[in-house]
Amino acid sequence: MEFAVFGLGDSSYQKFNFPAKRLFRRLQQLGAHALVRRGDGDDQHYLGVDGQLDPWLEELWDVMLSKWPLPRPAVPDGVVPDPTFDVSFGGTQGTGVVVDDKCRATLVVSERITAADHFQDVRHLRFAIEEQDPLPAWGPGDCAVLRPCNLAADVNEFLATVGWTDRADESLYIEPRSTGATLAWPVPSATLRWLCTNYFDIMGVPRRSFFEMLSYFAPSVEERDKLREFSSAAGQDDLLAYCMRPRRTVLEVLGDFPRTAPVIPLSYAFDVFPVIAERSFSISSAECPRAVDLTVAIVEYKTLMQRVRRGVCTRWLAQLPVGQTVAMRFARGTMRLPPAATPIVMVGPGTGIAAFMSFVQSRPGADNYLFFGCRSESKDFYYQEQLRQWAAEESLHLFCAFSRDGPAKVYVQDRIREQARLLWSLVAEQGAVIFVSGNANRMPDDVRQAFADVVSMNSPQMSADDAQNYIARMVKDGRYQEECWY
């Protein structure tokens, strides 16, 4: 047996590409022969996974074509792949998506919980779940999953750009061309306007494959050459500068290719345009079948070119009016609570506090310790009244780090080291479980190092490596759990 393995991973995680490494090693142990070296895709590469995939594929094709020759090129230039679906006008009028695992949830609270003059808009959202049988089940640490919609103004601009405005509200008939062709989720007979609002991610940053598909339909040599350059391995630095760094959207790219945009065949719409992805949010309320609380930071930032960018989902949530009903489903989170008798230590800077709000509510009177961090006590101390009330009731031991309020910056890892003796007692003597939640940039590594320092400070006989191994054993035993994101 001959094989090749390419792993999809992110080097910021402790077990970077672990499944691929294990599979590669096991196949070799069983006597299989590797055609090429193992490829380790890394989302942290400045070109993303493609930064490792392109050279690895080149090696693989060289080996395979030398062993099993094919005509060159195997697929001649200019050959357009068949569309995945037949799309035509004249379907029976439909109303939208049918998804069995979703419930209907109505927004009843949308409250800003940061100061009005603070740069970051963070919302407390509450959704009321409509009566149904059975009611959806979820618990502390679980997530609510939402699929956003595009805003009407953007949809109208997109329809005009691709030349679909005149027929935007006519019913469509969508039929797969093969038995294996499926949509991302069931779509009954719909309209172009409905698809551009609810299905196609017109405001997301397109991937390399988007440019490749566009190149098949470009009527001008100039636009076709540029699209092919962006989709080639050699053109990835140019694509990075043009699209990825400035976070250029699908809609903006189409505006830059004005001859190509209006001639995209309707039948290729599902092959060209990406699908709106679901977003998961940690639930910040205790288990209650009829109400779900979320803590959501509205994503808005400036690119290197000083263009304002907004997150597709949080932008939609920010303008969602109270009383609006949306589809919601629930997913199991990665963090699992121990029995109520076991102490827990929670580290949740920023919106990392969301899941821990549900933890404390579900463990009244238990030993709950929270390290919360933000920039300023007066600007972005989320849920401070509730947290201080729990602390006064002794349902929570609260330690805060306000990084911009003093002469020196103080972070949660500093508070952890300050409480080294207490934390060692909880971990080593009482079997406490540690939870870490929040931004995955630097915080998880800094917090893990702080806990390793706690071990070293209370066990002088241990070396730095011993302390790191102690934390690693806690991870393996489920006593140190992380749920972090970018």
Side-chain angles (χ1 to χ4, degrees):
M1 174 182 171
E2 294 179 300
F3 72 95
V5 172
F6 186 87
L8 303 178
D10 186 319
S11 58
S12 67
Y13 289 89
Q14 293 288 324
K15 293 188 175 182
F16 169 57
N17 266 321
F18 177 76
K21 294 174 181 177
R22 186 172 184 179
L23 175 62
F24 188 89
R25 184 168 59 250
R26 184 56 178 156
L27 287 172
Q28 287 185 317
Q29 289 172 346
L30 293 172
H33 172 68
L35 288 169
V36 292
R37 62 182 175 83
R38 185 190 72 242
D40 291 331
D42 185 4
D43 274 336
Q44 293 300 307
H45 191 283
Y46 77 99
L47 294 177
V49 171
D50 286 349
Q52 301 293 337
L53 180 61
D54 283 331
W56 183 85
L57 281 176
E58 187 174 345
E59 292 178 29
L60 177 63
W61 279 116
D62 285 344
V63 172
M64 292 181 67
L65 289 171
S66 67
K67 294 175 70 70
W68 304 288
L70 290 172
R72 301 254 186 151
V75 179
D77 289 342
V79 174
V80 181
D82 291 333
T84 307
F85 299 92
D86 286 323
V87 184
S88 58
F89 291 101
T92 303
Q93 182 66 43
T95 56
V97 180
V98 178
V99 185
D100 293 335
D101 65 345
K102 280 187 166 60
C103 62
R104 305 297 292 174
T106 301
L107 182 66
V108 295
V109 174
S110 180
E111 176 188 3
R112 179 168 177 150
I113 55 175
T114 49
D117 60 348
H118 187 57
F119 74 93
Q120 176 75 73
D121 180 1
V122 177
R123 302 288 181 92
H124 172 74
L125 305 177
R126 173 166 293 172
F127 291 89
I129 306 300
E130 291 186 0
E131 188 66 48
Q132 65 181 69
D133 187 25
L135 283 169
W138 55 273
D142 288 345
C143 299
V145 183
L146 297 168
R147 182 177 285 115
C149 299
N150 294 309
L151 303 188
D154 298 325
V155 171
N156 289 336
E157 184 180 351
F158 176 85
L159 291 169
T161 301
V162 296
W164 292 349
T165 301
D166 291 345
R167 308 194 72 175
D169 299 303
E170 294 184 33
S171 297
L172 290 173
Y173 182 75
I174 304 165
E175 180 71 18
R177 291 174 63 96
S178 65
T179 55
T182 58
L183 293 168
W185 67 88
V187 176
S189 180
T191 66
L192 286 170
R193 188 180 304 280
W194 187 92
L195 288 170
C196 295
T197 302
N198 300 281
Y199 194 88
F200 296 136
D201 190 5
I202 64 175
M203 298 306 292
V205 179
R207 294 180 178 271
R208 176 176 168 182
S209 57
F210 173 77
F211 295 89
E212 181 179 4
M213 288 303 301
L214 281 185
S215 72
Y216 292 126
F217 313 115
S220 74
V221 174
E222 181 183 2
E223 290 191 5
R224 183 167 59 251
D225 287 348
K226 179 55 69 175
L227 289 165
R228 286 179 175 175
E229 178 187 346
F230 283 153
S231 61
S232 69
Q236 289 312 287
D237 283 326
D238 289 336
L239 180 61
L240 178 72
Y242 166 73
C243 190
M244 306 309 173
R245 283 203 179 109
R247 310 301 292 170
R248 205 178 300 268
T249 67
V250 167
L251 180 55
E252 290 172 327
V253 170
L254 292 174
D256 288 341
F257 293 88
R259 297 180 183 176
T260 304
V263 299
I264 298 169
L266 182 61
S267 58
Y268 282 89
F270 290 92
D271 301 287
V272 173
F273 299 114
V275 178
I276 295 176
E278 293 182 320
R279 271 69 164 182
S280 297
F281 297 93
S282 296
I283 297 171
S284 52
S285 53
E287 185 173 6
C288 172
R290 296 299 302 278
V292 174
D293 289 353
L294 305 179
T295 307
V296 178
I298 307 304
V299 177
E300 182 174 321
Y301 60 95
K302 286 186 177 181
T303 68
L304 295 174
M305 300 178 70
Q306 297 303 302
R307 292 185 178 181
V308 176
R309 292 288 185 252
R310 297 176 178 86
V312 173
C313 187
T314 60
R315 179 188 182 208
W316 168 69
L317 286 172
Q319 60 82 47
L320 201 66
V322 170
Q324 179 72 44
T325 298
V326 301
M328 178 183 290
R329 69 177 179 88
F330 299 94
R332 183 181 174 89
T334 61
M335 299 187 295
R336 293 291 100 186
L337 279 172
T342 303
I344 63 172
V345 178
M346 301 163 284
V347 183
T351 54
I353 196 176
F356 301 147
M357 295 296 291
S358 71
F359 281 15
V360 179
Q361 291 175 54
S362 65
R363 291 168 46 98
D367 275 345
N368 304 311
Y369 296 79
L370 172 65
F371 290 81
F372 173 74
C374 64
R375 295 174 70 93
S376 173
E377 183 175 10
S378 62
K379 302 293 185 183
D380 56 342
F381 187 1
Y382 315 147
Y383 304 116
Q384 59 176 299
E385 292 182 5
Q386 180 65 77
L387 292 173
R388 283 172 169 155
Q389 180 181 336
W390 285 336
E393 295 170 352
E394 298 185 351
S395 292
L396 177 68
H397 303 275
L398 179 63
F399 305 91
C400 296
F402 305 114
S403 63
R404 301 300 192 273
D405 279 353
K409 294 180 181 179
V410 178
Y411 299 103
V412 286
Q413 57 265 33
D414 300 309
R415 296 290 184 237
I416 288 169
R417 293 186 180 93
E418 290 173 2
Q419 300 297 325
R421 182 168 297 180
L422 168 65
L423 290 170
W424 181 247
S425 173
L426 291 170
V427 169
E429 300 171 15
Q430 301 179 52
V433 177
I434 298 171
F435 298 94
V436 181
S437 179
N439 189 290
N441 191 14
R442 289 183 52 188
M443 184 274 297
D445 289 341
D446 290 343
V447 167
R448 184 181 288 227
Q449 182 60 56
F451 278 108
D453 292 343
V454 167
V455 175
S456 297
M457 292 163 68
N458 288 275
S459 303
Q461 74 279 9
M462 285 193 185
S463 66
D465 287 343
D466 291 337
Q468 290 288 351
N469 290 336
Y470 187 97
I471 300 300
R473 287 194 298 273
M474 290 186 67
V475 172
K476 186 176 182 179
D477 295 339
R479 292 183 55 214
Y480 191 106
Q481 302 179 34
E482 293 179 349
E483 187 173 87
C484 301
W485 59 87
Y486 287 99

